[in-house]
PDB file of all heavy atoms in Angstrom:
ATOM      1  N   PHE B  50     -20.709  16.414 -14.671  1.00  0.00           N
ATOM      2  CA  PHE B  50     -20.309  16.726 -13.283  1.00  0.00           C
ATOM      3  C   PHE B  50     -20.639  15.559 -12.372  1.00  0.00           C
ATOM      4  O   PHE B  50     -19.847  15.185 -11.520  1.00  0.00           O
ATOM      5  CB  PHE B  50     -20.979  17.979 -12.803  1.00  0.00           C
ATOM      6  CG  PHE B  50     -20.556  19.208 -13.512  1.00  0.00           C
ATOM      7  CD1 PHE B  50     -21.360  19.811 -14.456  1.00  0.00           C
ATOM      8  CD2 PHE B  50     -19.284  19.743 -13.269  1.00  0.00           C
ATOM      9  CE1 PHE B  50     -20.936  20.939 -15.150  1.00  0.00           C
ATOM     10  CE2 PHE B  50     -18.873  20.858 -13.947  1.00  0.00           C
ATOM     11  CZ  PHE B  50     -19.667  21.464 -14.919  1.00  0.00           C
ATOM     12  N   LEU B  51     -21.834  14.977 -12.586  1.00  0.00           N
ATOM     13  CA  LEU B  51     -22.224  13.825 -11.809  1.00  0.00           C
ATOM     14  C   LEU B  51     -21.243  12.631 -12.080  1.00  0.00           C
ATOM     15  O   LEU B  51     -20.884  11.903 -11.148  1.00  0.00           O
ATOM     16  CB  LEU B  51     -23.652  13.408 -12.146  1.00  0.00           C
ATOM     17  CG  LEU B  51     -24.234  12.255 -11.306  1.00  0.00           C
ATOM     18  CD1 LEU B  51     -24.277  12.632  -9.877  1.00  0.00           C
ATOM     19  CD2 LEU B  51     -25.578  11.923 -11.806  1.00  0.00           C
ATOM     20  N   LEU B  52     -20.905  12.507 -13.349  1.00  0.00           N
ATOM     21  CA  LEU B  52     -19.970  11.402 -13.748  1.00  0.00           C
ATOM     22  C   LEU B  52     -18.672  11.571 -13.020  1.00  0.00           C
ATOM     23  O   LEU B  52     -18.134  10.620 -12.434  1.00  0.00           O
ATOM     24  CB  LEU B  52     -19.772  11.459 -15.247  1.00  0.00           C
ATOM     25  CG  LEU B  52     -18.913  10.360 -15.830  1.00  0.00           C
ATOM     26  CD1 LEU B  52     -19.734   9.104 -15.933  1.00  0.00           C
ATOM     27  CD2 LEU B  52     -18.399  10.738 -17.243  1.00  0.00           C
ATOM     28  N   LEU B  53     -18.104  12.800 -13.036  1.00  0.00           N
ATOM     29  CA  LEU B  53     -16.829  13.035 -12.378  1.00  0.00           C
ATOM     30  C   LEU B  53     -16.930  12.835 -10.877  1.00  0.00           C
ATOM     31  O   LEU B  53     -16.053  12.237 -10.263  1.00  0.00           O
ATOM     32  CB  LEU B  53     -16.357  14.480 -12.633  1.00  0.00           C
ATOM     33  CG  LEU B  53     -15.757  14.739 -14.063  1.00  0.00           C
ATOM     34  CD1 LEU B  53     -15.555  16.246 -14.219  1.00  0.00           C
ATOM     35  CD2 LEU B  53     -14.485  14.059 -14.228  1.00  0.00           C
ATOM     36  N   PHE B  54     -18.083  13.271 -10.296  1.00  0.00           N
ATOM     37  CA  PHE B  54     -18.225  13.151  -8.878  1.00  0.00           C
ATOM     38  C   PHE B  54     -18.293  11.678  -8.443  1.00  0.00           C
ATOM     39  O   PHE B  54     -17.700  11.247  -7.489  1.00  0.00           O
ATOM     40  CB  PHE B  54     -19.467  13.874  -8.408  1.00  0.00           C
ATOM     41  CG  PHE B  54     -19.705  13.729  -6.933  1.00  0.00           C
ATOM     42  CD1 PHE B  54     -18.911  14.393  -6.012  1.00  0.00           C
ATOM     43  CD2 PHE B  54     -20.698  12.885  -6.437  1.00  0.00           C
ATOM     44  CE1 PHE B  54     -19.086  14.260  -4.679  1.00  0.00           C
ATOM     45  CE2 PHE B  54     -20.860  12.720  -5.112  1.00  0.00           C
ATOM     46  CZ  PHE B  54     -20.048  13.341  -4.236  1.00  0.00           C
ATOM     47  N   LEU B  55     -19.111  10.866  -9.269  1.00  0.00           N
ATOM     48  CA  LEU B  55     -19.222   9.457  -8.960  1.00  0.00           C
ATOM     49  C   LEU B  55     -17.853   8.729  -9.046  1.00  0.00           C
ATOM     50  O   LEU B  55     -17.532   7.907  -8.231  1.00  0.00           O
ATOM     51  CB  LEU B  55     -20.211   8.804  -9.907  1.00  0.00           C
ATOM     52  CG  LEU B  55     -21.701   8.988  -9.576  1.00  0.00           C
ATOM     53  CD1 LEU B  55     -22.563   8.427 -10.682  1.00  0.00           C
ATOM     54  CD2 LEU B  55     -21.991   8.292  -8.314  1.00  0.00           C
ATOM     55  N   ALA B  56     -17.101   9.113 -10.090  1.00  0.00           N
ATOM     56  CA  ALA B  56     -15.760   8.498 -10.264  1.00  0.00           C
ATOM     57  C   ALA B  56     -14.919   8.821  -9.068  1.00  0.00           C
ATOM     58  O   ALA B  56     -14.224   7.968  -8.515  1.00  0.00           O
ATOM     59  CB  ALA B  56     -15.147   9.063 -11.536  1.00  0.00           C
ATOM     60  N   PHE B  57     -14.980  10.101  -8.598  1.00  0.00           N
ATOM     61  CA  PHE B  57     -14.167  10.490  -7.466  1.00  0.00           C
ATOM     62  C   PHE B  57     -14.625   9.769  -6.198  1.00  0.00           C
ATOM     63  O   PHE B  57     -13.755   9.264  -5.392  1.00  0.00           O
ATOM     64  CB  PHE B  57     -14.309  12.015  -7.272  1.00  0.00           C
ATOM     65  CG  PHE B  57     -13.529  12.559  -6.139  1.00  0.00           C
ATOM     66  CD1 PHE B  57     -12.159  12.705  -6.265  1.00  0.00           C
ATOM     67  CD2 PHE B  57     -14.104  12.956  -4.953  1.00  0.00           C
ATOM     68  CE1 PHE B  57     -11.408  13.237  -5.247  1.00  0.00           C
ATOM     69  CE2 PHE B  57     -13.379  13.471  -3.935  1.00  0.00           C
ATOM     70  CZ  PHE B  57     -11.989  13.566  -4.115  1.00  0.00           C
ATOM     71  N   ALA B  58     -15.943   9.636  -6.036  1.00  0.00           N
ATOM     72  CA  ALA B  58     -16.453   8.991  -4.825  1.00  0.00           C
ATOM     73  C   ALA B  58     -16.013   7.500  -4.802  1.00  0.00           C
ATOM     74  O   ALA B  58     -15.559   7.005  -3.750  1.00  0.00           O
ATOM     75  CB  ALA B  58     -17.988   9.027  -4.792  1.00  0.00           C
ATOM     76  N   LEU B  59     -16.184   6.827  -5.905  1.00  0.00           N
ATOM     77  CA  LEU B  59     -15.736   5.395  -5.956  1.00  0.00           C
ATOM     78  C   LEU B  59     -14.236   5.259  -5.705  1.00  0.00           C
ATOM     79  O   LEU B  59     -13.776   4.402  -4.932  1.00  0.00           O
ATOM     80  CB  LEU B  59     -16.117   4.759  -7.298  1.00  0.00           C
ATOM     81  CG  LEU B  59     -15.834   3.280  -7.454  1.00  0.00           C
ATOM     82  CD1 LEU B  59     -16.452   2.465  -6.383  1.00  0.00           C
ATOM     83  CD2 LEU B  59     -16.277   2.782  -8.797  1.00  0.00           C
ATOM     84  N   GLY B  60     -13.496   6.141  -6.371  1.00  0.00           N
ATOM     85  CA  GLY B  60     -12.020   6.092  -6.218  1.00  0.00           C
ATOM     86  C   GLY B  60     -11.565   6.302  -4.806  1.00  0.00           C
ATOM     87  O   GLY B  60     -10.782   5.548  -4.265  1.00  0.00           O
ATOM     88  N   ILE B  61     -12.128   7.327  -4.146  1.00  0.00           N
ATOM     89  CA  ILE B  61     -11.683   7.667  -2.806  1.00  0.00           C
ATOM     90  C   ILE B  61     -12.140   6.570  -1.791  1.00  0.00           C
ATOM     91  O   ILE B  61     -11.494   6.277  -0.814  1.00  0.00           O
ATOM     92  CB  ILE B  61     -12.155   9.100  -2.379  1.00  0.00           C
ATOM     93  CG1 ILE B  61     -11.163   9.728  -1.461  1.00  0.00           C
ATOM     94  CG2 ILE B  61     -13.537   9.092  -1.779  1.00  0.00           C
ATOM     95  CD1 ILE B  61     -10.050  10.447  -2.113  1.00  0.00           C
ATOM     96  N   SER B  62     -13.310   5.926  -2.089  1.00  0.00           N
ATOM     97  CA  SER B  62     -13.732   4.814  -1.263  1.00  0.00           C
ATOM     98  C   SER B  62     -12.759   3.627  -1.312  1.00  0.00           C
ATOM     99  O   SER B  62     -12.458   3.031  -0.295  1.00  0.00           O
ATOM    100  CB  SER B  62     -15.142   4.311  -1.613  1.00  0.00           C
ATOM    101  OG  SER B  62     -16.012   5.316  -1.946  1.00  0.00           O
ATOM    102  N   ILE B  63     -12.277   3.357  -2.500  1.00  0.00           N
ATOM    103  CA  ILE B  63     -11.319   2.283  -2.665  1.00  0.00           C
ATOM    104  C   ILE B  63     -10.005   2.647  -1.989  1.00  0.00           C
ATOM    105  O   ILE B  63      -9.363   1.853  -1.301  1.00  0.00           O
ATOM    106  CB  ILE B  63     -11.124   1.947  -4.121  1.00  0.00           C
ATOM    107  CG1 ILE B  63     -12.369   1.297  -4.661  1.00  0.00           C
ATOM    108  CG2 ILE B  63      -9.937   1.020  -4.365  1.00  0.00           C
ATOM    109  CD1 ILE B  63     -12.417   1.126  -6.150  1.00  0.00           C
TER     110      ILE B  63
END
Side-chain angles (χ1 to χ4, degrees):
Chain B
F50 293 105
L51 183 62
L52 185 77
L53 284 171
F54 178 75
L55 280 173
F57 182 74
L59 181 57
I61 211 88
S62 318
I63 290 170

